[in-house]
Amino acid sequence: MAQGALLYFIAKEELVWNSFGGQMYLCDFGRDSGQCPDVPDCMGPGGTALSPPRIYSWDLWAMRTYVRDSLKVLFPDRADDINKFADPGEYGLESYYCRLLCCFLFTVTVMSDLMGSINMVKVFIDTPNKAECWVDYEEPTWADKEHAKAIHGWTELDLVTVRVAGMPLAWKIFNVIVVLLPKMFLWKITAEAGTLFLMETSGIADIIVNSVALSFILQIDELLCNELMSDTTRNMLEKLEEYHIEANASEPDFETMADDELYAQNEEQIKQCWGWREILELFPLQLVLVILFTWFCVERYYAKHCASDDAGARVSQSMRLPLGTDFSLLNAFLPHFFPVPREEDPFWVMPED
């Protein structure tokens, strides 16, 4: 819940409060500033040409623009001189590829949560749909219990084992509704809010710090669980035996195989030619999935918040003020179906050449 609340507030900051501050979406402003004016997309959100010495973060650019506009209001007869000498610069990226790298690293942590949810589904499918005992009390058969406890220094808890076993279908449905679906919704807002947060960060140092901050947010649930759970729950989790999915049970257990069996299997594998299965096992499938998911999240950000100008550059869409500060859970979790209500007239549009 704490993790979801923090991500909810990040989404509210980016989608509501930034608009009230007059901020447009960063998109690709300043991506090719080092090559300007030799490339077509060299115009910033302020309507002037981009160049490395004139690129600032949003806070600095907003302050410099405010100072220039205030001087023009105070000294209207000196407006031309103010425009000439009080240059606010432009708002843009410092490093496009650093932003992509941080998005990739963030996706790695997000994908681990997704794999945990997928493993949960596999456990639900693999376990029998009937009630079975998860806790067993096993007394030693080789000696008297008190004698065995004295030899090994055991307590009564050392004779208790906890394992994953069968679960009635009704309880599986209950866990899907109460645990799995909220976990998936939380994963969705994590991916969307985290990508939006990183894509809206312009400075190199800031985006690295923000990626580390997001990694901390993703670890909050484990931190709270470790610090606040009861001793009884902690002991049960420590005693929980590792569960192996039935689909992987057919794989040989090399730890229990005899030496002659291992030697025979090794000789058989040497004689066989490599096939597609062996090649695919060497291929880093999870790395490919992370790259594809990073590409999907970044392109989704561009599709929702950016538009292409005449030069083909991705610039911010026209910005409209929200009708209020209300930001419901439906706005956060299902923004496609429940968008934030906004005014019809934009407060900012991309300047023309």
Side-chain angles (χ1 to χ4, degrees):
M1 294 297 293
Q3 174 183 337
L6 290 176
L7 293 168
Y8 163 84
F9 290 127
I10 289 177
K12 184 175 182 179
E13 170 75 16
E14 298 291 340
L15 298 176
V16 176
W17 287 109
N18 283 353
S19 297
F20 284 118
Q23 184 173 353
M24 66 292 299
Y25 294 112
L26 180 59
C27 297
D28 282 350
F29 287 125
R31 172 180 174 175
D32 299 321
S33 61
Q35 304 176 19
C36 290
D38 298 329
V39 292
D41 52 335
C42 286
M43 179 179 291
T48 61
L50 289 162
S51 62
R54 300 183 64 249
I55 289 184
Y56 300 97
S57 65
W58 167 255
D59 294 335
L60 285 176
W61 184 65
M63 178 60 68
R64 293 168 66 94
T65 303
Y66 170 77
V67 171
R68 183 201 62 184
D69 294 343
S70 298
L71 291 174
K72 290 169 66 176
V73 172
L74 292 173
F75 307 101
D77 55 327
R78 304 291 302 276
D80 293 338
D81 292 336
I82 294 173
N83 286 331
K84 181 178 179 181
F85 296 105
D87 180 20
E90 281 289 355
Y91 171 46
L93 277 169
E94 290 184 0
S95 176
Y96 172 80
Y97 295 103
C98 179
R99 186 175 67 168
L100 279 184
L101 176 60
C102 290
C103 289
F104 171 80
L105 296 176
F106 168 71
T107 305
V108 172
T109 59
V110 173
M111 286 296 292
S112 64
D113 287 346
L114 178 62
M115 297 306 298
S117 299
I118 293 176
N119 290 333
M120 184 183 299
V121 174
K122 291 181 179 180
V123 171
F124 288 155
I125 296 174
D126 191 63
T127 52
N129 294 329
K130 61 180 180 180
E132 293 181 347
C133 184
W134 285 46
V135 182
D136 291 329
Y137 182 82
E138 299 178 354
E139 294 188 13
T141 58
W142 52 273
D144 180 70
K145 181 180 71 172
E146 297 300 328
H147 180 63
K149 289 168 60 177
I151 292 177
H152 293 282
W154 288 345
T155 64
E156 288 293 325
L157 286 177
D158 293 316
L159 302 178
V160 177
T161 59
V162 183
R163 62 185 179 87
V164 177
M167 183 187 305
L169 182 60
W171 273 107
K172 288 185 178 181
I173 296 175
F174 176 80
N175 278 277
V176 168
I177 296 175
V178 176
V179 179
L180 182 61
L181 290 182
K183 183 178 176 65
M184 293 302 298
F185 274 117
L186 182 60
W187 177 83
K188 177 180 180 296
I189 192 176
T190 299
E192 290 184 347
T195 302
L196 176 62
F197 186 53
L198 293 177
M199 293 294 289
E200 285 296 298
T201 306
S202 59
I204 293 176
D206 291 337
I207 195 171
I208 294 175
V209 171
N210 287 346
S211 63
V212 174
L214 284 175
S215 299
F216 170 74
I217 292 177
L218 294 177
Q219 297 172 3
I220 284 181
D221 52 351
E222 288 88 354
L223 174 64
L224 294 179
C225 183
N226 292 332
E227 295 297 330
L228 301 181
M229 75 168 58
S230 64
D231 292 337
T232 302
T233 304
R234 185 179 290 107
N235 290 332
M236 292 182 65
L237 290 177
E238 290 176 354
K239 290 182 172 295
L240 183 63
E241 298 178 356
E242 185 177 356
Y243 183 79
H244 298 280
I245 304 296
E246 187 67 24
N248 300 327
S250 59
E251 297 181 357
D253 186 2
F254 297 105
E255 297 294 334
T256 59
M257 293 178 64
D259 292 341
D260 55 345
E261 293 178 339
L262 288 173
Y263 179 78
Q265 184 173 357
N266 182 58
E267 289 295 324
E268 182 180 355
Q269 290 177 348
I270 291 176
K271 296 177 182 178
Q272 293 178 352
C273 297
W274 278 34
W276 287 106
R277 181 179 178 181
E278 288 76 11
I279 296 176
L280 288 177
E281 288 179 352
L282 291 176
F283 196 72
L285 180 60
Q286 192 162 355
L287 174 62
V288 176
L289 292 177
V290 170
I291 293 174
L292 290 177
F293 187 69
T294 303
W295 172 82
F296 173 79
C297 290
V298 171
E299 289 300 320
R300 182 175 174 82
Y301 163 81
Y302 285 131
K304 291 179 62 175
H305 305 297
C306 307
S308 296
D309 61 7
D310 296 336
R314 285 168 166 172
V315 299
S316 175
Q317 63 183 13
S318 299
M319 300 299 299
R320 294 171 175 81
L321 289 175
L323 297 180
T325 60
D326 294 335
F327 190 69
S328 66
L329 292 177
L330 293 176
N331 298 139
F333 286 98
L334 300 171
H336 181 73
F337 300 100
F338 301 94
V340 177
R342 297 181 181 274
E343 296 179 354
E344 294 184 3
D345 297 328
F347 68 84
W348 178 90
V349 294
M350 183 62 189
E352 299 180 356
D353 291 337

